[in-house]
């Protein structure tokens, strides 16, 4: 059974940083691309970033490019999202999902995990 557990969210002031983590189990993590998506209250699910299995191919949405960094540790079955220079519009629940995406529209896949809430506010 695929299990993804996100952590690391919280309340942070604008301009601050957070590091999200996603612990994966139930599949061969080292062979899987991984993605972070987010959903603000009342909004569609937005694709944020994807990383391929070896960590060599990485893409970001325009809204986070230059501020967020995705990474992974295949020995620990973990994927991370380092978020710097956070803005109020980054406020959302963040989820990790399997797969590699490059989207200009909403993410329409399933969200099978709890996610972690990030709130950027002064």
């Amino acid at each position: 059974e695929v299990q993804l557990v996100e952590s690391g969210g919280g309340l942070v002031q604008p301009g601050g940083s957070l590091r999200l983590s996603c612990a994966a189990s139930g599949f061969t993590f080292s062979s899987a691309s991984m993605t972070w998506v987010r959903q603000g209250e009342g909004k569609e699910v937005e694709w944020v970033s994807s990383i391929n299995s070896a960590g060599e191919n990485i893409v970001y949405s325009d809204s986070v490019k230059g501020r967020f960094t995705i990474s992974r540790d295949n020995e620990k079955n973990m994927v991370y999202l380092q978020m710097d220079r956070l803005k109020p519009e980054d406020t959302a629940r963040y989820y990790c999902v399997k797969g590699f995406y490059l989207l200009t529209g909403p993410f329409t896949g399933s969200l099978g995990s709890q996610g972690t809430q990030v709130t950027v506010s002064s």
Side-chain angles (χ1 to χ4, degrees), residues 42 68 89 112 122:
F68 290 11
E89 50 263 45
S122 55

Side-chain angles (χ1 to χ4, degrees), residues 46-86:
E46 178 188 7
W47 168 74
V48 174
S49 180
S50 294
I51 185 169
N52 75 335
S53 58
E56 300 164 331
N57 190 10
I58 291 173
V59 290
Y60 299 97
S61 68
D62 287 344
S63 61
V64 307
K65 193 177 298 181
R67 300 187 298 120
F68 290 11
T69 305
I70 191 172
S71 62
R72 64 189 295 156
D73 186 333
N74 285 347
E75 292 189 1
K76 296 181 179 179
N77 285 11
M78 298 287 294
V79 61
Y80 306 99
L81 188 68
Q82 176 68 40
M83 306 186 297
D84 299 316
R85 292 184 282 139
L86 282 160

